[in-house]
DNA sequence: ATCACCTGTGGGAGCGCTCCCACAGTACCT
DNA sequence: AGGTACTGTGGGAGCGCTCCCACAGGTGAT
C-alpha cells in the first residue's frame, strides 16, 4: 500500500494528498476542485473528480474546520425544556422549515435545548468554543442574556421573535400587531361589541404587540377599549382557563374572546362550556397560530395563521448570509435586517 | 498584545501554547491537565488551571478532533420522517433518556432524521466522513442496510430494537415477548375467551415477538390459538381501525382485543364504539406503550409499559463503552451485548 | 558509587486540510 | 522585442491540538 508519512498508517481513509498523487496534480488543485473554485481547467477538474471517485475520498471535516476556521454547523437553540419543544407544534414547524432549507446546503444542524441552568452553562461553553458558525434563536424572553453573549462572541445569529422594538439582532417575525388586529376587526365585523382579550406572556414582545393590535382595532372601530376586558395569560391551556374565569366573573356580558394562542383558546373554551355559554352563539372565540388544535376543536376554531415554516426558512437564509459575510452585520456598521411576515385569518365555525 | 507566530493574529482565542507560556510550563503539560491525566504534580496543575481561568481558555475542538482522531459527538439516527418523530412519544422519551445520560459527559448529541432517500444519502456521506464517534439507531426495519454500513465503516453503534434474533449489533430492547404475554394472560384472567390480536408492522422484529407472546399465553392457558383472531396492523391509528373492522366482520363473537400499540388501540376503540360495542363490558381492550394516549383514552386504556427512557440511557451507556474500547465489539471477537429490559402491565378501566 | 526504575516535564512531529505566494504559460497590448 | 495582465497550477506554511520520545531528577536497591 503506497502511503507516505512517517507514522505508518494502516490503510485508513484517503487524504487530499493521495487524491492529488492519483490525479497527477498538486494538493492545492484538488482542494480547489473539492471546494468548487472556478479557477480550474475542465480537464484537470475531470481528472481530480475521477480520482476522488476511485479512492472514495471524503474530506476530513476536522482538518477543514481547523484550517479554515469554520465548522459548517449551525445550532437551533431552544431556550425551553425539551418537553415544551415536543408539545408545541410551533417548534416542530420551525424545525421543518429550517431543515428543508438546510437540505440544500452542506451545513449540519444541531438542536440544542437550554431550558435548565445547567443546560445553559453547557451552551455557553459550547458557544465559547465556537463549535457552530451561527445560531438560530427561537422563543426568547425579554431579559434573556443569550443574545448579548452571542454578540460578544461575534457569532452570527438570527432571532425568531425580536425581544423589543429595538432588537439588535437580525430577526424574523410574523406581524403580531396586524394578526391581532385582523382578529379583532373580524369579531367587530361579526357584530360583537364586548370583545375580550386573553394575552400571552407579556415578557414576550410579540404578545405585547398583539395587545396593541387588539386595542387599536377596537379603538378605530369606535368601540373604545375597556381595560377590564383584557386579562393576562401565559400561552398555556391552564392560563387560558384561569383568565376566562376571571373575565366571566368581571364582565359576564362579554360576547367574544380573542385568545393569544390556540392552546389558550382551548382553555377558555373549556370554561365557557362549563359556564353554559354556547360558541359561537353566545360567545365568539378566536385563537392564534392556526395549529392542529384549531382544526380539531369543537367547534373548529377561527385562528390567525403564522407562516412558521416560512419563518424558519427565512431565518436560515438570513443566517447563512450573515455567515457568508463572515461578521455579524452590526460590526460592519450595517443595519440589522428585521423581516416581518404577514399573517392570515382563517375563519371557522367558532366566530 | 503578546502573540507569536508568523501570521499576525488579531487577539483571537487563546491557545494551548499561550496558556503554557502563562503558566510557565510546556505545551504537553497543559494538554495533560486539560485532559485530566494523573501524571501531573498538584502544584503544576494548579498553575495551569489558574492560567486557563485567567485567559478564558477553551480548547479548540477541531484541532483536538484532527489530532486525536475523534469527534466527541454521537448521533441519534431516526430512520423515519420528522413528522413521525414528533407524533410518537416513543422517540421523545428515548431522546430524554439519552439526553439525561449524556449531560454527564462532554459529548455532543446530534439528531439525524433519515426518512427520505435523500436524507439517507446525506447520512451515508456523513457517516463516511466519520463525523461522529458512534451511532444510536432506533426503530430499524428488518431489511434496513444502515446497520451493515455502520459495521463496514467500523463505527460503534447500538440499536434499540434488534432486527432479528441474530442481531449482530449491540442492542437494547424491552421484553416484547413477555410484555405481550402478560397482556394476553391478563385478559385470560379476566375471563375472556375470544381474545383477538392486532399486530404491529411484522417487518419489525419486536412486533413478531409480541405475536409469539400472545400465542404462547393463549396456548398455555388451554385456549388454543384461533388464527382468524390475529390481524396484521402497522402501529398506526388507521391501521388499527382497519384491522378492527376486519376482525369484527370475521369474528363477531370476540370479547377482547390486544393491540400492538396504544395508537393502534385508539383506532380499534373508534371502530368498536361505532359498532356499538361497549368497553370493557362487551370487549376488553389492551394496548402497548403506556403512552399519554392510554391515560387519556375514554375509558382509560390498560397498556404494557416499556421503560423507554431507561432504554435510552442504557443504549448510551453501551455505546460509550464501545467507543471507549475504540472498536466495535465484534472486531475484538467479543459477543455483542443484548440487553433486554422488563415491561410492566398497567391495568386500567378498559379491561 | 553504580544501576535500575520510577514520576513529572518539555517539545518535536504530525493529524489533513486551506490559504496564499510564486511562477509558468498564454494572450494581447504597445 | 518588451511590457502588462490574466489563467491555471504547485507547494510551503500554518491552523491548535495530541502523541510520544527524551530526559532531568529523585529514590532505593546493589
Amino acid at each position: 500500500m503506497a502511503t507516505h508519512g512517517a507514522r505508518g498508517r494502516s490503510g485508513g481513509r484517503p487524504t487530499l494528498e493521495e487524491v492529488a498523487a492519483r490525479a497527477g496534480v498538486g494538493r492545492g488543485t484538488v482542494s480547489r476542485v473539492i471546494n468548487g473554485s472556478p479557477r480550474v481547467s475542465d480537464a484537470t477538474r475531470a481528472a481530480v473528480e475521477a480520482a476522488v471517485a476511485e479512492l472514495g475520498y471524503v474530506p476530513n471535516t476536522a482538518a477543514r474546520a481547523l484550517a479554515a476556521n469554520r465548522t459548517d454547523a449551525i445550532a437551533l437553540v431552544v431556550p425551553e425544556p425539551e418537553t415544551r419543544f415536543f408539545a408545541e407544534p410551533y417548534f416542530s414547524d420551525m424545525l421543518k422549515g429550517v431543515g428543508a432549507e438546510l437540505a440544500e446546503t452542506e451545513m449540519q444542524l444541531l438542536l440544542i435545548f437550554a431550558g435548565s441552568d445547567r443546560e445553559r452553562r453547557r451552551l455557553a461553553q459550547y458557544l465559547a468554543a465556537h463549535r457552530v458558525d451561527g445560531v438560530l434563536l427561537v422563543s426568547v424572553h425579554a431579559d434573556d442574556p443569550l443574545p448579548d453573549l452571542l454578540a460578544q462572541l461575534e457569532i452570527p445569529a438570527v432571532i425568531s421573535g425580536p425581544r423589543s422594538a429595538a432588537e439588535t439582532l437580525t430577526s424574523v417575525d410574523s406581524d403580531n400587531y396586524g394578526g391581532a388586529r385582523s382578529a379583532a376587526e373580524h369579531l367587530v365585523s361579526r357584530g360583537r361589541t364586548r370583545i375580550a382579550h386573553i394575552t400571552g406572556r407579556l415578557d414576550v414582545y410579540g404578545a405585547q404587540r398583539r395587545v396593541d393590535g387588539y386595542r387599536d382595532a377596537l379603538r378605530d372601530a369606535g368601540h373604545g377599549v375597556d381595560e377590564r376586558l383584557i386579562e393576562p395569560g401565559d400561552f398555556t391551556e391552564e392560563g387560558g382557563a384561569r383568565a376566562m374565569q376571571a373575565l366571566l366573573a368581571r364582565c359576564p356580558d362579554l360576547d367574544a374572546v380573542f385568545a393569544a394562542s390556540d392552546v389558550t383558546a382551548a382553555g377558555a373554551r373549556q370554561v365557557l362550556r362549563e359556564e353554559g355559554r354556547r360558541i359561537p352563539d353566545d360567545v365568539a372565540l378566536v385563537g392564534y397560530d392556526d395549529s392542529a388544535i384549531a382544526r380539531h376543536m369543537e367547534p373548529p376554531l377561527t385562528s390567525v395563521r403564522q407562516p412558521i415554516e416560512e419563518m424558519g426558512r427565512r431565518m436560515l437564509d438570513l443566517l447563512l448570509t450573515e455567515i457568508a459575510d463572515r461578521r455579524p452585520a452590526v460590526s460592519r456598521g450595517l443595519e440589522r435586517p428585521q423581516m416581518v411576515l404577514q399573517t392570515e385569518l382563517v375563519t371557522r365555525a367558532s366566530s
Side-chain angles (χ1 to χ4, degrees), chain A:
Chain A
M1 198 147 288
T3 59
H4 20 216
R7 252 189 240 174
R9 275 183 297 90
S10 51
R13 296 163 52 195
T15 69
L16 243 207
E17 192 94 43
E18 285 161 17
V19 173
R22 175 107 183 193
V25 301
R27 211 172 358 86
T29 302
V30 176
S31 177
R32 254 160 264 154
V33 171
I34 300 291
N35 293 290
S37 157
R39 313 196 136 296
V40 180
S41 72
D42 289 350
T44 307
R45 181 184 307 279
V48 170
E49 279 167 354
V52 165
E54 286 164 26
L55 261 32
Y57 171 75
V58 180
N60 180 318
T61 341
R64 173 178 285 177
L66 178 59
N69 196 30
R70 60 191 163 87
T71 64
D72 289 331
I74 65 167
L76 176 64
V77 172
V78 183
E80 304 275 354
E82 306 180 19
T83 337
R84 194 167 308 170
F85 179 83
F86 285 102
E88 292 185 24
Y90 180 89
F91 295 113
S92 56
D93 283 353
M94 172 90 31
L95 183 63
K96 207 186 295 176
V98 173
E101 196 77 3
L102 203 73
E104 309 296 318
T105 73
E106 295 282 84
M107 287 259 176
Q108 164 71 13
L109 180 68
L110 304 180
L111 186 57
I112 300 186
F113 301 102
S116 67
D117 277 356
R118 178 186 190 148
E119 287 171 336
R120 291 188 83 99
R121 273 195 300 277
R122 247 191 147 215
L123 173 62
Q125 189 74 7
Y126 198 80
L127 296 174
H130 285 264
R131 293 187 65 168
V132 286
D133 291 340
V135 169
L136 255 22
L137 218 43
V138 299
S139 175
V140 176
H141 300 168
D143 57 348
D144 198 308
L146 215 44
D148 299 327
L149 175 63
L150 256 9
Q152 184 198 320
L153 291 169
E154 300 199 359
I155 297 178
V158 176
I159 194 169
S160 81
R163 289 165 297 163
S164 74
E167 178 59 63
T168 50
L169 248 39
T170 300
S171 71
V172 172
D173 202 0
S174 67
D175 182 6
N176 289 295
Y177 176 86
R181 192 167 173 124
S182 69
E185 283 168 352
H186 163 74
L187 288 168
V188 168
S189 79
R190 285 286 202 260
R192 308 288 170 161
T193 53
R194 298 287 291 159
I195 303 172
H197 177 37
I198 303 176
T199 77
R201 297 184 48 153
L202 291 174
D203 62 344
V204 173
Y205 178 63
Q208 292 177 28
R209 292 299 289 153
R210 289 180 198 173
V211 178
D212 294 345
Y214 157 85
R215 276 214 172 84
D216 289 2
L218 293 198
R219 201 199 46 223
D220 292 358
H223 282 53
V225 178
D226 182 348
E227 291 297 333
R228 293 178 312 151
L229 283 170
I230 302 179
E231 178 68 22
D234 57 4
F235 288 128
T236 70
E237 185 161 356
E238 301 72 47
R242 221 176 301 122
M244 195 67 245
Q245 269 153 354
L247 283 169
L248 283 178
R250 197 158 63 213
C251 310
D253 62 331
L254 59 81
D255 61 5
V257 176
F258 165 45
S261 80
D262 288 347
V263 177
T264 300
R269 186 202 78 115
Q270 193 59 35
V271 170
L272 286 171
R273 183 151 293 200
E274 283 164 14
E275 298 292 326
R277 312 278 182 129
R278 288 167 307 165
I279 302 172
D281 309 51
D282 302 326
V283 178
L285 187 59
V286 173
Y288 208 106
D289 285 345
D290 190 32
S291 57
I293 300 170
R295 288 188 294 283
H296 293 131
M297 194 179 285
E298 177 51 38
L301 182 71
T302 295
S303 188
V304 179
R305 198 181 92 79
Q306 308 188 71
I308 299 178
E309 258 190 74
E310 187 178 352
M311 284 173 65
R313 266 182 270 128
R314 297 307 186 96
M315 284 177 74
L316 187 68
D317 271 356
L318 289 170
L319 184 62
L320 292 181
T321 307
E322 246 179 56
I323 291 172
D325 293 352
R326 219 59 223 177
R327 294 279 102 201
V330 77
S331 41
R332 304 200 333 281
L334 298 180
E335 202 167 298
R336 298 308 186 90
Q338 310 278 126
M339 180 175 283
V340 175
L341 301 179
Q342 290 315 299
T343 58
E344 179 193 356
L345 185 74
V346 180
T347 313
R348 298 201 181 84
S350 73
S351 68

